[in-house]
Amino acid sequence: MLMGNHERRLQRWTAGNLGEADLLAMVISNPYRIEMSNFGYCDVEPGNWRVTHAKNYSQIALTVPEKLAWSLQKNIICFHPHRINKGGIATVTS
């Protein structure tokens, strides 16, 4: 499980007193069965994929994941827009 802005907001409001296990315990009975990353992204290996909860947001679908795909040269799975869409790395040929 990756940390997103909602989880970080709870940590900020409690001055860091809520850890990852505390946040998971609010929604599941055994939080130690799930591994939680303090990062908002995960690079999937092998492969050229990044799963992310991007900090930025745009009302135009796929804008943020597309910029990440171009800058990182990876396929992006992005959850922050709260919608599902699919896109890949655009290929430029000369």
Side-chain angles (χ1 to χ4, degrees), residues 5 30 33 39 43 47-48 55 58 62-63 67 70 72 78-79 87 93:
N5 61 316
N30 188 354
R33 294 186 64 197
F39 294 105
D43 288 329
N48 196 27
K55 295 178 182 178
S58 174
L62 284 181
T63 300
K67 286 181 182 178
W70 276 103
L72 299 171
C78 185
F79 294 102
T93 58

Side-chain angles (χ1 to χ4, degrees), residues 7-88:
E7 293 81 15
R8 295 198 192 287
R9 190 177 301 146
L10 285 172
Q11 285 185 323
R12 242 189 344 264
W13 288 343
T14 62
N17 290 317
L18 280 179
E20 292 86 6
D22 299 319
L23 294 172
L24 283 173
M26 292 181 194
V27 292
I28 63 174
S29 60
N30 188 354
Y32 299 101
R33 294 186 64 197
I34 295 178
E35 188 174 331
M36 190 161 187
S37 172
N38 200 30
F39 294 105
Y41 65 90
C42 173
D43 288 329
V44 179
E45 300 292 339
N48 196 27
W49 289 88
R50 175 172 279 198
V51 179
T52 185
H53 189 289
K55 295 178 182 178
N56 300 343
Y57 175 78
S58 174
Q59 290 182 346
I60 303 169
L62 284 181
T63 300
V64 173
E66 183 182 28
K67 286 181 182 178
L68 283 171
W70 276 103
S71 67
L72 299 171
Q73 289 297 295
K74 290 182 178 274
N75 295 297
I76 303 294
I77 301 172
C78 185
F79 294 102
H80 195 204
H82 298 201
R83 16 182 154 141
I84 298 174
N85 212 331
K86 183 172 96 173

